[in-house]
Amino acid sequence: MAAATTAPTPPGSLKRIVAASLIGTTIEWYDFFLYGSAAALVFNKLFFPESDPLVGTLLSFLTYAVGFAARPLGALVFGHYGDRLGRKKLLVLSLLMMGGATFAIGLLPTHAAVGSAAPVLLTVLRLVQGFALGGEWGGAVLLVSEHGDAKRRGFWASWPQTGAPAGQLLATGVLSALTALLSDAAFASWGWRVPFLLSGVLVIVGLWIRLSVDESPVFKAALAAAEERKEVAGQAEKMPLVAVLKHHWRDVLVAMGARMAENISYYVITAFILVYATTQVGLSKQTALNAVLIASAVHFAVIPAWGALSDRIGRRPVYLIGAVGVGAWMFPFFLLIDHGGFGSLLLAVTVGLVLHGAMYAPQAAFFSEMFATRMRYSGASIGAQFSSVAAGAPAPLIATALLADYGSSTPIALYVIAAALLTVVAIAAARETRDRDLGEIDDRSPEDARVRADV
């Protein structure tokens, strides 16, 4: 007997759910990216002042990478309870944790005040940020994916993805305004704290909106079916993590491989570029921030377009366009930046983010369509966040180290190209998921689920 399907969410309700997910992810990414920008600009001086400037930047990015190390743990914990209790409750908790940690960073004493305790406290708060973000992404994209229908899922699910460039836009915009209005001394003294403290206001707005949405109907139906199986047949559910590794291990590996080029290229283009443009090319902080600011606005605009295209031609073709494009763009990317002008820098970053969007836009629907409902939060989060430890976490650190060792952008370009090749292999090995009904994927293997749906 075919698995029961759920009726599509009315357009008005779906838009409200998309707005709630988008605003929540924007706030969380604002918090996360704010740290990355501050790590590149001021944390090396405030928390690691006894180091050589480039070494201080490396140490600053190391605390940045620590946040990624906590993301897999967040994926496991939030995924488990999100598959057990629902998406909405865990999304509220993740927003509170992220916002609280970011606000606390704005209150931290620096190395000049408390010595070595300052970077320790900074690292602890960064761990909390990473843990929260590890659970945020999966829940936000699933809430939208499970409310929508298959025909436009790529488009609607891409909107929470725009929270990343929106958060980057907001974080960079606030920092850019402060660096323009304040002297270097004032910014280093107290100005850098302002955007972190603003997070408290943003979290209140995000919670108000996020608490107003309903739980996913697909999840409700799957939960009811699981309770019925338990009551009638005494069939207890496996832990989501166990079920994912048993039935969807191949999909987890595909998701991890798919994330490599997407994650590495993004942090090279948006975080490391602040170091490269200022230290290697000699551009001002304001110039570099403005370029990332404008490019992030374009990135925000193109993500839904790429998502809509994935509804027409499939997730895999669009993802491959992005992976191949990013790899091919790396050498022109650095050549343009080395030219030294704002226009060249802006073009380099904008094209890079447009190509990145071709991977990032279909990712939400693509990963959601790989896993059964009662293990979907765990599966999508594990696939996305475990790869971030090897991809996004060390990307600015590796790029900075390569620059320090070789004094050239060539090894950095080759590093991103290698990641792009790995992603191409992963996507080539993946199944197309565009037409899959999320309500028909059961807790067995994808092949079993398709057979069951045809019976």
Side-chain angles (χ1 to χ4, degrees):
M1 184 173 64
T5 58
T6 55
T9 302
S13 298
L14 181 58
K15 290 178 181 178
R16 186 173 66 252
I17 290 159
V18 169
S21 292
L22 170 58
I23 291 172
T25 53
T26 297
I27 294 168
E28 297 235 20
W29 282 113
Y30 165 81
D31 292 348
F32 203 75
F33 288 139
L34 182 60
Y35 188 103
S37 297
L41 297 173
V42 294
F43 280 178
N44 58 332
K45 300 172 185 175
L46 297 174
F47 293 92
F48 308 98
E50 297 176 356
S51 303
D52 172 84
L54 196 54
V55 174
T57 301
L58 282 169
L59 292 172
S60 185
F61 274 139
L62 186 59
T63 62
Y64 178 71
V66 163
F68 287 83
R71 283 164 69 170
L73 181 58
L76 290 174
V77 174
F78 279 84
H80 174 84
Y81 288 104
D83 283 329
R84 285 285 190 260
L85 305 176
R87 290 47 167 134
K88 176 181 172 179
K89 295 176 183 177
L90 274 296
L91 285 175
V92 170
L93 179 59
S94 70
L95 187 60
L96 282 171
M97 291 182 68
M98 174 67 86
T102 305
F103 187 82
I105 290 174
L107 300 175
L108 274 183
T110 63
H111 187 280
V114 296
S116 59
V120 172
L121 292 171
L122 181 67
T123 302
V124 170
L125 292 173
R126 182 60 175 172
L127 283 168
V128 175
Q129 279 191 324
F131 182 82
L133 192 60
E136 161 69 22
W137 181 85
V141 300
L142 293 190
L143 199 62
V144 176
S145 294
E146 292 178 345
H147 273 90
D149 65 296
K151 292 183 179 179
R152 301 194 71 195
R153 186 180 299 128
F155 171 74
W156 289 117
S158 70
W159 278 100
Q161 299 291 77
T162 65
Q168 178 79 66
L169 188 66
L170 188 58
T172 306
V174 172
L175 283 172
S176 181
L178 287 170
T179 55
L181 294 172
L182 301 176
S183 66
D184 288 345
F187 182 78
S189 175
W190 59 268
W192 68 272
R193 297 181 184 276
V194 174
F196 288 93
L197 297 176
L198 281 175
S199 178
V201 178
L202 297 175
V203 167
I204 293 172
V205 175
L207 282 174
W208 176 70
I209 296 171
R210 191 160 271 187
L211 286 168
S212 69
V213 302
D214 294 326
E215 183 56 82
S216 152
V218 173
F219 175 80
K220 288 180 180 178
L223 179 61
E227 292 295 329
E228 183 179 353
R229 286 197 301 268
K230 184 177 180 180
E231 185 176 329
V232 174
Q235 181 183 353
E237 286 188 291
K238 298 183 181 71
M239 288 182 60
L241 174 61
V242 174
V244 165
L245 296 180
K246 181 178 180 181
H247 300 302
H248 291 279
W249 60 269
R250 185 177 184 274
D251 294 316
V252 169
L253 292 177
V254 166
M256 292 176 68
R259 283 275 284 171
M260 296 303 290
E262 178 268 308
N263 222 217
I264 289 173
S265 65
Y266 187 78
Y267 290 105
V268 168
I269 293 169
T270 61
F272 169 72
I273 198 61
L274 298 177
V275 175
Y276 187 84
T278 55
T279 63
Q280 188 75 3
V281 183
L283 296 173
S284 68
K285 288 186 294 186
Q286 187 67 45
T287 299
L289 284 168
N290 287 343
V292 174
L293 184 69
I294 296 170
S296 294
V298 177
H299 193 210
F300 179 92
V302 300
I303 285 177
W306 285 121
L309 184 62
S310 78
D311 286 327
R312 297 179 62 86
I313 67 175
R315 318 298 184 215
R316 292 170 71 246
V318 175
Y319 215 113
L320 285 171
I321 290 171
V324 173
V326 161
W329 182 243
M330 275 303 102
F331 280 112
F333 174 79
F334 283 108
L335 285 173
L336 282 168
I337 297 171
D338 290 338
H339 185 267
F342 174 74
S344 298
L345 175 63
L346 178 61
L347 178 62
V349 177
T350 301
V351 173
L353 288 182
V354 168
L355 293 170
H356 170 270
M359 293 181 283
Y360 201 53
Q363 190 179 94
F366 190 32
F367 289 7
S368 299
E369 291 159 349
M370 290 181 181
F371 303 97
T373 302
R374 292 288 282 162
M375 62 185 81
R376 184 169 293 132
Y377 203 143
S378 295
S381 296
I382 290 168
Q385 303 306 336
F386 271 66
S387 59
S388 69
V389 176
L397 189 65
I398 290 173
T400 303
L402 289 172
L403 180 62
D405 288 345
Y406 296 96
S408 168
S409 62
T410 299
I412 305 167
L414 293 174
Y415 166 53
V416 178
I417 290 169
L421 290 173
L422 182 57
T423 292
V424 168
V425 172
I427 299 301
R431 305 177 183 90
E432 179 56 63
T433 62
R434 176 179 46 146
D435 297 321
R436 187 171 290 178
D437 187 325
L438 296 183
E440 290 185 349
I441 310 172
D442 67 11
D443 59 359
R444 296 185 261 183
S445 68
E447 290 83 357
D448 290 340
R450 284 198 296 271
V451 171
R452 183 172 181 175
D454 292 335
V455 174

